[in-house]
Amino acid sequence: MFELRHWASKLYNRRALFLLLAAFIFCWNASMLWLSEQGLGLQIFQLLLWLGIAISLEDKLANLWPKPSRFSFLAGAILIALLLTLSPALISFQAGYIKYLLLPVSICALALLSRPLQQWQLFAAPLLISLLLPIGGAFAVLSSPIQNRLTALLTWAFLYGLGFQAGISGKEISIGSAGVIVQTNCNGNEQLIFSISMVVIFQLIFPLKQRGHILAAFGAAIVSAYVINTVRIALLAYFTTWEDRSGMAAFDFFHGHGGLIFSLIAATIAGWIYYRLLDQELTA
């Protein structure tokens, strides 16, 4: 009985209740994307951002005792109530840009329930990390016309360098009578967004001090993303050349959910390079 009271007293404090609310908002946020049948890449990317947000607050847990003003508490409560009330509509209307805004709005609501606006330094990193979702979405839309052709050109050069008799016409890469057309879904934006976001998250949580190292980290993330996606598109083009369409099963896999493997590889490479640069600074 004493132990039950002990744990009940631990749970019944503002910080514990705030963390439980944050966990609930995370589950709600993830379920919105799942129920609205968003792409697996977007869902995994949001999970990556939530992980970054959690890590950014981990070493500040001692200061994470909610002290909202009356206004910020009321504003945060209203915002969460609106999000929950509008859940059916949010599931129906996430075909547009609104799916990218749920995470930043959720973090803003949690920040309001924790601190007044003028004391949001504690949530600076989580808010910036959450903004990577809409920024990444906007980048994907705006850069796609350029990325499609650039990816096609890089893939053609890669195949030609390997000795394939590859041809290129706009966004279309051909190998003999087969080939692929680079569209928005496979133009490398996903790999690029994953890699750059990984570096941004690390820079916010474990910042590099030397400007040269920061530039090297971002440069390596961009280069590795392009290289990884070029290899992916080259493989897709190669699969189309197999006799009797025997390569279409592999094509469909790596063009679909299997393409996420390349995004995670690109993010892992970016994270590993960042770690090496950080290790150099710490041991200097």
Side-chain angles (χ1 to χ4, degrees):
M1 187 68 178
F2 175 76
E3 288 185 2
L4 181 62
R5 288 180 180 178
H6 172 72
W7 284 108
S9 64
K10 275 196 167 185
L11 286 174
Y12 192 69
N13 65 59
R14 282 183 288 176
R15 180 166 55 195
L17 291 174
F18 178 80
L19 293 175
L20 285 173
L21 177 61
F24 171 75
I25 291 298
F26 161 73
C27 294
W28 172 85
N29 202 266
S31 67
M32 287 296 100
L33 294 186
W34 180 69
L35 291 172
S36 59
E37 300 180 348
Q38 299 298 324
L40 184 60
L42 179 62
Q43 296 185 49
I44 297 297
F45 182 50
Q46 182 174 258
L47 291 177
L48 173 66
L49 297 183
W50 271 108
L51 179 62
I53 290 168
I55 295 174
S56 70
L57 289 174
E58 184 181 10
D59 61 344
K60 301 175 183 177
L61 195 60
N63 299 323
L64 203 61
W65 189 274
K67 299 176 183 178
S69 64
R70 290 183 180 179
F71 172 78
S72 67
F73 179 83
L74 182 62
I78 291 175
L79 200 53
I80 288 180
L82 282 174
L83 288 173
L84 298 179
T85 304
L86 294 174
S87 292
L90 293 174
I91 293 172
S92 302
F93 293 104
Q94 282 202 55
Y97 199 74
I98 192 170
K99 59 180 173 287
Y100 298 108
L101 300 177
L102 292 184
L103 178 57
V105 173
S106 299
I107 299 301
C108 283
L110 291 172
L112 285 167
L113 289 173
S114 177
R115 294 288 193 279
L117 284 172
Q118 61 271 26
Q119 298 178 22
W120 270 19
Q121 298 90 340
L122 183 66
F123 284 87
L127 285 167
L128 289 172
I129 292 172
S130 72
L131 288 175
L132 291 173
L133 192 61
I135 291 173
F139 172 79
V141 172
L142 296 175
S143 67
S144 284
I146 298 174
Q147 289 286 89
N148 294 347
R149 294 182 178 275
L150 178 59
T151 299
L153 179 62
L154 291 174
T155 305
W156 168 80
F158 178 68
L159 288 169
Y160 193 82
L162 290 177
F164 288 91
Q165 296 302 312
I168 183 172
S169 177
K171 299 182 292 184
E172 184 176 356
I173 306 160
S174 60
I175 305 177
S177 60
V180 295
I181 299 176
V182 179
Q183 301 287 7
T184 301
N185 292 336
C186 52
N187 61 10
N189 273 331
E190 186 176 277
Q191 288 82 3
L192 196 58
I193 291 168
F194 267 61
S195 298
I196 293 177
S197 296
M198 180 68 73
V199 174
V200 171
I201 291 171
F202 279 10
Q203 182 62 28
L204 289 171
I205 302 173
F206 314 110
L208 293 169
K209 303 300 182 183
Q210 298 182 27
R211 184 179 300 178
H213 283 173
I214 296 172
L215 293 176
F218 279 103
I222 294 170
V223 171
S224 63
Y226 276 115
V227 169
I228 291 296
N229 193 58
T230 297
V231 172
R232 177 197 173 204
I233 303 303
L235 283 172
L236 293 178
Y238 174 64
F239 291 145
T240 64
T241 66
W242 291 13
E243 294 182 0
D244 301 323
R245 297 176 60 84
S246 58
M248 293 312 295
F251 177 94
D252 291 338
F253 175 74
F254 287 109
H255 185 260
H257 289 165
L260 185 59
I261 296 173
F262 291 88
S263 299
L264 296 176
I265 291 173
T268 301
I269 292 173
W272 179 80
I273 292 173
Y274 191 97
Y275 167 77
R276 297 300 301 170
L277 291 171
L278 181 64
D279 186 57
Q280 286 184 24
E281 290 194 359
L282 293 177
T283 56

